[in-house]
Amino acid sequence: MSQLPLLPPMDKRQRSRHFARREKVLGQFFTSPVLAAWMVEIATSMLDSFHAALDPACGDGVFLRLMLRHEFETVVGIDVDATVLKVCAQQLNDEKRLHLRCGDALWLLDELRERFDFVATNPPFSAKYGRVSEPSLLRRFELGSSRNSEAIESLFLELCVRSLRPNGMLAIVLPEGIFANLTQERVRQWLCRYATPLAIVSLSRTFFAAKSCVLFARKKPANPDDLVLLAHAENETDLTNIAQQIRCQCGVLKPVKELLNDMSPLHHLNVPKLHSVFPMLPLKALLWDMRSGSTEYGVSRQFSDHGIPFVSAKTVTPFGIDLRRDGRFVAKGSPMDKPQAKTKVGDVVFVRVGVGCIGRAAAVLHDDETGIADDYLYILRFRTDLLLPEFFALFAQTRIFQQQLERIKRGTGTVTVPQRLLREILVPVPPMDVQQQFAIAYHQLHDRYRNGTASVDELAALVTRLEHTLVGDKDAA
Ligand SMILES: C[S@@+](CC[C@H](N)C(=O)[O-])C[C@H]1O[C@@H](n2cnc3c(N)ncnc32)[C@H](O)[C@@H]1O
């Protein structure tokens, strides 16, 4: 085993400003030997050349050990952390083919270029802290140039792809966001310009705390019609089945051209079977306005004892708006009094973010339920000749809506619903008399809720009746 020279240290200033903990700073979340073995076995079974293999974030060497079981002439491991690399060196000390190097792998982009047949890695990632902002480093990367900062995992993805020879194989763990987030489409586009994704496997949180996926890809530009296998592993037992699917290319396969928007396996695997006896229209066709609430933060975020009620996510209940649940007010004319965030009777208020309340919707039925909406909320204004707001507030509680909602949630830590995707949600549009019946029932239930006499069971029965009506189950409805 040869020890290569030390590279200049990473930008330690930036990291240590915020942390002492190594996991957070260096993204040291280690891969289980079972998952690593699975990744290496699948990827090497698709290789025809075994000159050199690389893990540019090797940690204690879980991938290196497995690579050394194959006939690679050279296996290179890089890690920025000297302590973890020492452990790695001790464990794999007899290997002449192994080359370890301590330093920031990103600075080695040029040196590593097109040298490897195989790259397997679990690079550092952390949504909040794992950003690279050093201009001279960013400039070296296509995904970094012209940006002030870039997520470290995207730069590692580029490093890995560039380190491969043509036709080489990549097996990499990446955060779900790279595959799912709208803002990451440019990363997916970049990937497909240089490599062909073969399979993307979503991992449950039993594998890593952060929602992650494994990507298998070959270094060769993707064709729009190339098929990508999408799968989800709930636990290590599922991996065997998925390996079989990858080998025989059987399972859920989607062409590259349909994935650039959204490569998240879960979003494609959970495709709900949408069905209604009524015409289904995208939400955007039923609205004349959709806007975001708005508020102030920091010193300008001030509430008063009276004034205009503050409509927060808390006040949006399945029974309708309940301002008593928050009880804060905005002083008239204060910076918090934002005209564009003012709700009015007939609006539907939709919670766009927040575990537990995301996707909740309520129609504003009375003047004393209006107020200034928080920026966690969207305000929807319906074309009431097409859809009644009360009907939508109830529809948002049905499974037809909830299943669609699951597919459009975005984000790893803070989950949110982007407006653009919400507009595309399909809404069944029954004739007005049918909508009226449900609107009246919603009003009556809401008014009894205000008097403290409505029950959760009654609401559940009403939502179930709506679900039956929408699918044409007349007896049950
Ligand atoms: C998620 S851990 C993975 C370790 C190992 N490959 C595994 O899967 O168990 C990421 C590793 O990358 C290292 N690392 C963080 N930033 C790095 C950088 N810029 N260059 C090289 N290694 C880095 C960390 O020290 C850590 O060992």
Side-chain angles (χ1 to χ4, degrees):
M1 180 186 67
S2 60
Q3 187 82 36
L4 298 181
L6 221 66
L7 287 159
M10 286 182 83
D11 179 4
K12 288 216 173 74
R13 256 179 321 117
Q14 187 195 1
R15 289 200 231 110
S16 51
R17 250 206 320 262
H18 300 288
F19 315 102
R21 286 181 52 212
R22 293 150 73 89
E23 309 91 68
K24 281 209 169 160
V25 178
L26 297 176
Q28 282 181 333
F29 297 96
F30 293 98
T31 317
S32 79
V34 173
L35 180 66
W38 176 82
M39 289 167 62
V40 171
E41 281 322 301
I42 290 175
T44 50
S45 73
M46 299 181 190
L47 268 184
D48 43 24
S49 163
F50 286 78
H51 294 297
L54 167 72
D55 179 351
C58 66
D60 60 3
V62 67
F63 289 107
L64 302 178
R65 179 176 295 109
L66 295 155
M67 289 165 173
L68 288 164
R69 293 192 190 147
H70 290 271
E71 62 268 36
F72 291 106
E73 293 155 21
T74 310
V75 172
V76 175
I78 304 167
D79 202 285
V80 75
D81 181 6
T83 315
V84 81
L85 208 58
K86 210 164 152 192
V87 176
C88 177
Q90 280 161 358
Q91 289 179 1
L92 304 172
N93 58 0
D94 282 340
E95 274 292 346
K96 302 274 177 295
R97 295 178 293 153
L98 180 64
H99 301 264
L100 291 180
R101 189 155 176 174
C102 185
D104 183 341
L106 297 176
W107 285 98
L108 293 175
L109 180 68
D110 292 330
E111 194 182 316
L112 301 174
R113 193 179 297 261
E114 299 213 346
R115 276 185 51 196
F116 298 91
D117 307 291
F118 178 42
V119 177
T121 195
N122 170 9
F125 51 86
S126 149
K128 203 159 170 191
Y129 305 109
R131 294 195 74 81
V132 173
S133 52
E134 166 65 49
S136 56
L137 184 54
L138 286 173
R139 263 201 307 277
R140 295 166 180 235
F141 289 83
E142 284 187 19
L143 288 171
S145 61
S146 77
R147 292 178 68 80
N148 294 331
S149 73
E150 181 54 66
I152 193 166
E153 62 269 18
S154 306
L155 300 183
F156 260 91
L157 175 64
E158 180 169 342
L159 172 77
C160 292
V161 171
R162 290 193 180 284
S163 301
L164 285 168
R165 294 192 174 125
N167 274 321
M169 278 294 302
L170 171 65
I172 185 170
V173 179
L174 288 168
E176 159 101 356
I178 284 210
F179 303 98
N181 292 356
L182 293 175
T183 50
Q184 301 292 302
E185 186 165 335
R186 63 186 191 90
V187 178
R188 300 189 283 274
Q189 300 259 13
W190 182 90
L191 171 69
C192 294
R193 267 209 305 284
Y194 293 95
T196 306
L198 304 175
I200 303 167
V201 181
S202 126
L203 303 174
S204 77
R205 289 184 201 267
T206 57
F207 290 88
F208 299 101
K211 185 74 193 69
S212 315
C213 296
V214 173
L215 164 73
F216 295 96
R218 191 180 287 289
K219 172 87 169 268
K220 105 178 183 221
N223 274 317
D225 293 320
D226 287 338
L227 292 177
V228 186
L229 183 110
L230 302 171
H232 171 72
E234 196 50 44
N235 48 44
E236 289 183 346
T237 320
D238 289 349
L239 297 177
T240 319
N241 249 338
I242 296 171
Q244 187 56 26
Q245 289 182 13
I246 295 176
R247 280 193 196 100
C248 68
Q249 282 284 289
C250 52
V252 177
L253 295 160
K254 292 268 170 184
V256 166
K257 64 183 174 214
E258 284 179 24
L259 290 176
L260 292 174
N261 240 340
D262 182 356
M263 281 187 179
S264 160
L266 281 184
H267 295 154
H268 291 274
L269 296 171
N270 287 348
V271 178
K273 292 199 179 22
L274 289 179
H275 160 72
S276 172
V277 287
F278 303 111
M280 306 261 267
L281 290 180
L283 179 60
K284 65 184 176 193
L286 304 166
L287 294 171
W288 65 267
D289 190 24
M290 176 165 169
R291 58 180 65 191
S292 186
S294 185
T295 191
E296 293 286 328
Y297 287 96
V299 283
S300 311
R301 188 176 173 87
Q302 280 182 1
F303 295 99
S304 75
D305 296 339
H306 56 276
I308 313 166
F310 186 60
V311 185
S312 67
K314 247 193 254 176
T315 69
V316 182
T317 85
F319 291 93
I321 298 291
D322 181 358
L323 295 176
R324 294 167 302 187
R325 289 168 60 90
D326 192 306
R328 287 179 290 179
F329 294 87
V330 167
K332 275 201 177 117
S334 73
M336 299 274 289
D337 178 4
K338 295 176 184 297
Q340 78 274 17
K342 183 99 171 51
T343 62
K344 51 187 191 189
V345 172
D347 288 347
V348 167
V349 179
F350 180 93
V351 184
R352 68 168 179 87
V353 70
V355 180
C357 54
I358 189 168
R360 223 186 270 155
V364 182
L365 301 182
H366 302 287
D367 275 332
D368 62 2
E369 294 169 357
T370 62
I372 303 289
D374 192 359
D375 64 355
Y376 277 20
L377 306 175
Y378 293 141
I379 302 168
L380 280 55
R381 297 201 164 134
F382 282 88
R383 293 179 50 185
T384 46
D385 53 328
L386 295 175
L387 204 84
L388 299 177
E390 300 89 337
F391 177 84
F392 182 81
L394 269 183
F395 168 67
Q397 302 182 45
T398 64
R399 271 168 295 183
I400 300 183
F401 180 86
Q402 293 295 328
Q403 286 172 332
Q404 295 188 77
L405 181 72
E406 277 313 305
R407 296 186 58 211
I408 62 167
K409 286 182 187 167
R410 293 292 184 270
T412 314
T414 312
V415 181
T416 181
V417 175
Q419 267 205 42
R420 183 169 81 84
L421 297 181
L422 184 60
R423 285 173 194 276
E424 301 300 329
I425 275 210
L426 292 175
V427 184
V429 184
M432 259 313 148
D433 59 322
V434 176
Q435 290 190 41
Q436 290 280 8
Q437 283 172 28
F438 285 99
I440 291 167
Y442 183 79
H443 266 266
Q444 289 171 343
L445 195 60
H446 175 68
D447 289 346
R448 280 196 288 110
Y449 170 82
R450 279 168 55 122
N451 302 332
T453 56
S455 76
V456 174
D457 290 346
E458 275 176 286
L459 176 65
L462 180 58
V463 172
T464 308
R465 181 150 69 86
L466 176 56
E467 284 177 342
H468 288 307
T469 304
L470 294 179
V471 297
D473 185 348
K474 289 206 183 76
D475 297 339

